Amino acid sequence: MELQAIQAKMAELSTQLHAHNHAYYVLNSPQISDYEFDMLLKELEALEKQYPSYIDANSPTKRVGGDLTKKFEAKAHRFPMLSLSNSYSEQEIIDWAERCQKVLGAASEFVCELKYDGVAIGIQYQNGKLLQALTRGDGQQGEDVTNNVRTIRAIPLQLSPDAPSDFEIRGEIFMPQQKFEALNAQRAAQGEALFANPRNTASGTLKLLDSKEVAKRGLDCYLYGVYGMSKTTNGHFEAVNEAKNWGFKVPSPQTRMIEKTTTIVGIMDFIHYWDKQRFELPFDIDGVVLKVNSFEQQEQLGLTAKSPRWAIAYKFKTQQVETVLEAVTFQVGRTGAITPVANLQPVQLGGTTVKRASLHNADQIQKLDLCEGDTVQVEKGGEIIPKIVGVNLGLRKSENRILFINNCPECGSKLERQEGEVQHYCPNEQGCPTQVTGKILHFISRKALNIDGLGEETIELMFSKNLINNPLDLYHLTFDQLLSLDRMAEKSANNLLQSIEASKQIPFERVLFGLGIRFVGETVAKKLAAAFQNMDALRCASLEALLDVEEIGEKIAQSILSYFSFSENLALIQGLQAVGLQFQSEAKTLHSNVLEGKICVISGTFETFSRDELKELIELNGGKLGSSISAKTTYLIAGANMGPAKLQKATDLGVTLLTENELIKLISQ
Ligand code: IVH
């Protein structure tokens, strides 16, 4: 390669990796598997090694990743939170162990552990109490998620008396598979989008603003490292074991979740055991971690800029199997997007039977160059839906290429694909049955108009009987029409009518979300409602005005403009407005001025209200919110698990403490 081409290649890899980092850490929506990401990173690392003069100071190889959002306070780590160097190659693990042995002497001990697939957490304890919990963030600073961490039952709030008085413990917060499946089942029942995998769900959950919701989700945690106290043991294995006596959930040697060995054979045996056994665990692991046991030897080996030399992770390859592609079918979503789905000869993969795989879009089919009856390689990455990663050409039986369809499988309309878009769409928004019923289902879903008592089957039945063709028709349904439907008894008909009536009180932002405008999800709908306040203003907004709103880019703005350019949509909105739905953001009217001139600070966790609800309550009663306790603070609204330092400060400054109940009493006076 020419030097110029190499430089360009490095820049391209950097750009790709930055984008994937963002998708993974910030958006929680990875676009490629961890394996693919690591391979790109390794490619860049290798080029950087060979051509150091081309290294960019902001290269993705220079950082550990980052998950800082503006939601939580960023705080500095007491000790930098390093990451692990990792490898998919057994030979590299052998090389690492041999290097350690060469420096340290052959008899050195290794600790083998599981690599839990979740989110790293650093928790500080002082005088036996949980003080603060930070996410990894960029390794130097993390987000203060203490209140959420306090809800995790595996993490002790109070330690046994023999625990050291000041130390930090680090570990991995994860969501057990069973909790993940239950959560998704619940979301499916409520018509909400499903979470992709336990790891992302754990990370998203940890950053919810409502710790009550966090508590409900059943996160779990294993601890894997003790930091910052004068050591009472000589080795890592012993320190972790001791932490169990202080009250922590740590891996047990009995189940081989942690093991000590002095040999490379021992390390390999651990790796091979867990490569098979991992599917029996109730949570996900993505590899194993190997560490030098002795603290003294760890120091001797030292650190690189990013990771310790005394530890390494072996990552399992994502499991792949071959199976036969039986057919490709095409699904139509509520926005008309067409998704090709591969129907496969059922095959066992990573503990489940796989029958279908997503093919994403036309480009993907073309890239794979799929032919009828092909034997394909299926992989299960971080996502629940497996994907096809390749074709076994040696077993190809036919040269009949799988072609993307030209017409909608539901209504026959000619499909469209806009420039720059990867997805094909069925343009028949008003007439395509799947789109019509899909839009109605979205409209009534819990986060939109929350109309109870209507499932997919009933909607389809009503549509086939020509009772409903769009969301507006719901508001014209009569009791007799409902009774005429199979399986609809008087009571359910009444409940349904009541629920439809109640939906007229649902706030504007949720009505807007319910309309199902392409790319206008829950968050975007909230931003639009806040920026424009009412439907008329939004309907008349120019491209520039839309782009001025936070988080609204060209794609969303164009989609909104296009939505309002259809007379059917305008008629729908007019109709919904006429039956009494909310098309105006609620003006916040004060409930009272009981708290006028009072500055309130909220701290800890609460029973009845979430922190956001409490904040709103304070403001609605004339109060102001303070971010930290000072001489100006009138009330400290003190919840459970409030930090001792805050309590002391409030007492010293003579700030009045109110419990949640006392605040409610005060307000209701
Ligand atoms: S030790 C300095 N041990 O893997 C080394 N990390 O990049 C500190 N992880 O997100 C990490 N299981 O949270 C260690 N048994 C284990 C682990 C583990 C999972 C995570 C860690 C971090 C990543 C390392």
PDB file of all heavy atoms in Angstrom, residues 90-105:
ATOM      1  N   GLU A  90      -6.125 -18.330  21.541  1.00  0.00           N
ATOM      2  CA  GLU A  90      -5.564 -19.086  22.664  1.00  0.00           C
ATOM      3  C   GLU A  90      -4.050 -18.899  22.701  1.00  0.00           C
ATOM      4  O   GLU A  90      -3.451 -18.827  23.766  1.00  0.00           O
ATOM      5  CB  GLU A  90      -5.918 -20.565  22.532  1.00  0.00           C
ATOM      6  CG  GLU A  90      -7.398 -20.813  22.741  1.00  0.00           C
ATOM      7  CD  GLU A  90      -7.747 -22.293  22.845  1.00  0.00           C
ATOM      8  OE1 GLU A  90      -6.821 -23.132  22.897  1.00  0.00           O
ATOM      9  OE2 GLU A  90      -8.953 -22.596  22.877  1.00  0.00           O
ATOM     10  N   GLN A  91      -3.444 -18.833  21.506  1.00  0.00           N
ATOM     11  CA  GLN A  91      -1.987 -18.681  21.453  1.00  0.00           C
ATOM     12  C   GLN A  91      -1.556 -17.383  22.143  1.00  0.00           C
ATOM     13  O   GLN A  91      -0.568 -17.356  22.867  1.00  0.00           O
ATOM     14  CB  GLN A  91      -1.509 -18.709  19.986  1.00  0.00           C
ATOM     15  CG  GLN A  91      -0.001 -18.770  19.842  1.00  0.00           C
ATOM     16  CD  GLN A  91       0.632 -19.928  20.648  1.00  0.00           C
ATOM     17  OE1 GLN A  91       0.198 -21.070  20.554  1.00  0.00           O
ATOM     18  NE2 GLN A  91       1.642 -19.623  21.462  1.00  0.00           N
ATOM     19  N   GLU A  92      -2.324 -16.321  21.927  1.00  0.00           N
ATOM     20  CA  GLU A  92      -1.957 -15.050  22.569  1.00  0.00           C
ATOM     21  C   GLU A  92      -2.055 -15.137  24.091  1.00  0.00           C
ATOM     22  O   GLU A  92      -1.318 -14.476  24.810  1.00  0.00           O
ATOM     23  CB  GLU A  92      -2.844 -13.916  22.034  1.00  0.00           C
ATOM     24  CG  GLU A  92      -2.358 -13.430  20.669  1.00  0.00           C
ATOM     25  CD  GLU A  92      -3.214 -12.312  20.082  1.00  0.00           C
ATOM     26  OE1 GLU A  92      -3.901 -11.605  20.854  1.00  0.00           O
ATOM     27  OE2 GLU A  92      -3.191 -12.162  18.856  1.00  0.00           O
ATOM     28  N   ILE A  93      -2.994 -15.945  24.580  1.00  0.00           N
ATOM     29  CA  ILE A  93      -3.129 -16.129  26.032  1.00  0.00           C
ATOM     30  C   ILE A  93      -1.906 -16.894  26.548  1.00  0.00           C
ATOM     31  O   ILE A  93      -1.319 -16.550  27.581  1.00  0.00           O
ATOM     32  CB  ILE A  93      -4.430 -16.900  26.377  1.00  0.00           C
ATOM     33  CG1 ILE A  93      -5.652 -16.123  25.888  1.00  0.00           C
ATOM     34  CG2 ILE A  93      -4.522 -17.195  27.875  1.00  0.00           C
ATOM     35  CD1 ILE A  93      -5.861 -14.781  26.545  1.00  0.00           C
ATOM     36  N   ILE A  94      -1.506 -17.920  25.797  1.00  0.00           N
ATOM     37  CA  ILE A  94      -0.314 -18.699  26.179  1.00  0.00           C
ATOM     38  C   ILE A  94       0.909 -17.781  26.205  1.00  0.00           C
ATOM     39  O   ILE A  94       1.679 -17.771  27.158  1.00  0.00           O
ATOM     40  CB  ILE A  94      -0.103 -19.889  25.205  1.00  0.00           C
ATOM     41  CG1 ILE A  94      -1.303 -20.841  25.312  1.00  0.00           C
ATOM     42  CG2 ILE A  94       1.211 -20.612  25.486  1.00  0.00           C
ATOM     43  CD1 ILE A  94      -1.308 -21.984  24.318  1.00  0.00           C
ATOM     44  N   ASP A  95       1.018 -16.934  25.154  1.00  0.00           N
ATOM     45  CA  ASP A  95       2.156 -15.999  25.098  1.00  0.00           C
ATOM     46  C   ASP A  95       2.170 -15.082  26.317  1.00  0.00           C
ATOM     47  O   ASP A  95       3.205 -14.824  26.918  1.00  0.00           O
ATOM     48  CB  ASP A  95       2.095 -15.131  23.829  1.00  0.00           C
ATOM     49  CG  ASP A  95       2.275 -15.968  22.572  1.00  0.00           C
ATOM     50  OD1 ASP A  95       2.688 -17.142  22.698  1.00  0.00           O
ATOM     51  OD2 ASP A  95       1.975 -15.455  21.469  1.00  0.00           O
ATOM     52  N   TRP A  96       0.970 -14.586  26.663  1.00  0.00           N
ATOM     53  CA  TRP A  96       0.869 -13.676  27.814  1.00  0.00           C
ATOM     54  C   TRP A  96       1.324 -14.377  29.099  1.00  0.00           C
ATOM     55  O   TRP A  96       2.137 -13.850  29.857  1.00  0.00           O
ATOM     56  CB  TRP A  96      -0.584 -13.189  27.961  1.00  0.00           C
ATOM     57  CG  TRP A  96      -0.843 -12.458  29.253  1.00  0.00           C
ATOM     58  CD1 TRP A  96      -0.567 -11.159  29.515  1.00  0.00           C
ATOM     59  CD2 TRP A  96      -1.395 -13.004  30.457  1.00  0.00           C
ATOM     60  NE1 TRP A  96      -0.916 -10.849  30.807  1.00  0.00           N
ATOM     61  CE2 TRP A  96      -1.430 -11.972  31.408  1.00  0.00           C
ATOM     62  CE3 TRP A  96      -1.855 -14.272  30.824  1.00  0.00           C
ATOM     63  CZ2 TRP A  96      -1.911 -12.157  32.705  1.00  0.00           C
ATOM     64  CZ3 TRP A  96      -2.339 -14.458  32.111  1.00  0.00           C
ATOM     65  CH2 TRP A  96      -2.364 -13.409  33.037  1.00  0.00           C
ATOM     66  N   ALA A  97       0.831 -15.603  29.305  1.00  0.00           N
ATOM     67  CA  ALA A  97       1.161 -16.334  30.535  1.00  0.00           C
ATOM     68  C   ALA A  97       2.663 -16.637  30.579  1.00  0.00           C
ATOM     69  O   ALA A  97       3.300 -16.519  31.631  1.00  0.00           O
ATOM     70  CB  ALA A  97       0.337 -17.611  30.615  1.00  0.00           C
ATOM     71  N   GLU A  98       3.218 -16.985  29.425  1.00  0.00           N
ATOM     72  CA  GLU A  98       4.661 -17.291  29.394  1.00  0.00           C
ATOM     73  C   GLU A  98       5.493 -16.044  29.699  1.00  0.00           C
ATOM     74  O   GLU A  98       6.486 -16.117  30.405  1.00  0.00           O
ATOM     75  CB  GLU A  98       5.046 -17.864  28.017  1.00  0.00           C
ATOM     76  CG  GLU A  98       4.655 -19.336  27.923  1.00  0.00           C
ATOM     77  CD  GLU A  98       4.945 -19.953  26.553  1.00  0.00           C
ATOM     78  OE1 GLU A  98       5.313 -19.202  25.616  1.00  0.00           O
ATOM     79  OE2 GLU A  98       4.783 -21.173  26.440  1.00  0.00           O
ATOM     80  N   ARG A  99       5.022 -14.908  29.169  1.00  0.00           N
ATOM     81  CA  ARG A  99       5.732 -13.649  29.459  1.00  0.00           C
ATOM     82  C   ARG A  99       5.715 -13.359  30.954  1.00  0.00           C
ATOM     83  O   ARG A  99       6.719 -12.992  31.535  1.00  0.00           O
ATOM     84  CB  ARG A  99       5.087 -12.498  28.686  1.00  0.00           C
ATOM     85  CG  ARG A  99       5.972 -11.972  27.591  1.00  0.00           C
ATOM     86  CD  ARG A  99       5.494 -10.657  26.992  1.00  0.00           C
ATOM     87  NE  ARG A  99       4.070 -10.384  27.062  1.00  0.00           N
ATOM     88  CZ  ARG A  99       3.187 -10.678  26.108  1.00  0.00           C
ATOM     89  NH1 ARG A  99       3.576 -11.263  25.015  1.00  0.00           N
ATOM     90  NH2 ARG A  99       1.914 -10.378  26.250  1.00  0.00           N
ATOM     91  N   CYS A 100       4.538 -13.555  31.572  1.00  0.00           N
ATOM     92  CA  CYS A 100       4.420 -13.321  33.018  1.00  0.00           C
ATOM     93  C   CYS A 100       5.386 -14.240  33.756  1.00  0.00           C
ATOM     94  O   CYS A 100       6.134 -13.806  34.635  1.00  0.00           O
ATOM     95  CB  CYS A 100       3.000 -13.602  33.517  1.00  0.00           C
ATOM     96  SG  CYS A 100       1.791 -12.433  32.925  1.00  0.00           S
ATOM     97  N   GLN A 101       5.374 -15.520  33.355  1.00  0.00           N
ATOM     98  CA  GLN A 101       6.229 -16.491  34.045  1.00  0.00           C
ATOM     99  C   GLN A 101       7.704 -16.147  33.882  1.00  0.00           C
ATOM    100  O   GLN A 101       8.500 -16.348  34.793  1.00  0.00           O
ATOM    101  CB  GLN A 101       5.960 -17.895  33.507  1.00  0.00           C
ATOM    102  CG  GLN A 101       4.630 -18.440  34.023  1.00  0.00           C
ATOM    103  CD  GLN A 101       4.295 -19.817  33.463  1.00  0.00           C
ATOM    104  OE1 GLN A 101       4.741 -20.162  32.370  1.00  0.00           O
ATOM    105  NE2 GLN A 101       3.520 -20.592  34.210  1.00  0.00           N
ATOM    106  N   LYS A 102       8.044 -15.612  32.712  1.00  0.00           N
ATOM    107  CA  LYS A 102       9.446 -15.266  32.456  1.00  0.00           C
ATOM    108  C   LYS A 102       9.890 -14.153  33.408  1.00  0.00           C
ATOM    109  O   LYS A 102      10.961 -14.199  33.990  1.00  0.00           O
ATOM    110  CB  LYS A 102       9.595 -14.795  31.005  1.00  0.00           C
ATOM    111  CG  LYS A 102      10.969 -15.070  30.445  1.00  0.00           C
ATOM    112  CD  LYS A 102      10.955 -14.945  28.948  1.00  0.00           C
ATOM    113  CE  LYS A 102      12.190 -14.201  28.488  1.00  0.00           C
ATOM    114  NZ  LYS A 102      12.063 -13.726  27.127  1.00  0.00           N
ATOM    115  N   VAL A 103       9.019 -13.163  33.587  1.00  0.00           N
ATOM    116  CA  VAL A 103       9.368 -12.044  34.467  1.00  0.00           C
ATOM    117  C   VAL A 103       9.321 -12.467  35.927  1.00  0.00           C
ATOM    118  O   VAL A 103      10.161 -12.084  36.734  1.00  0.00           O
ATOM    119  CB  VAL A 103       8.399 -10.859  34.228  1.00  0.00           C
ATOM    120  CG1 VAL A 103       8.718  -9.702  35.155  1.00  0.00           C
ATOM    121  CG2 VAL A 103       8.457 -10.416  32.780  1.00  0.00           C
ATOM    122  N   LEU A 104       8.301 -13.283  36.272  1.00  0.00           N
ATOM    123  CA  LEU A 104       8.024 -13.528  37.684  1.00  0.00           C
ATOM    124  C   LEU A 104       8.600 -14.841  38.217  1.00  0.00           C
ATOM    125  O   LEU A 104       8.666 -15.046  39.417  1.00  0.00           O
ATOM    126  CB  LEU A 104       6.509 -13.563  37.921  1.00  0.00           C
ATOM    127  CG  LEU A 104       5.724 -12.353  37.419  1.00  0.00           C
ATOM    128  CD1 LEU A 104       4.238 -12.649  37.486  1.00  0.00           C
ATOM    129  CD2 LEU A 104       6.052 -11.124  38.243  1.00  0.00           C
ATOM    130  N   GLY A 105       8.933 -15.738  37.330  1.00  0.00           N
ATOM    131  CA  GLY A 105       9.350 -17.073  37.779  1.00  0.00           C
ATOM    132  C   GLY A 105       8.199 -18.044  37.594  1.00  0.00           C
ATOM    133  O   GLY A 105       7.034 -17.661  37.738  1.00  0.00           O
TER     134      GLY A 105
END
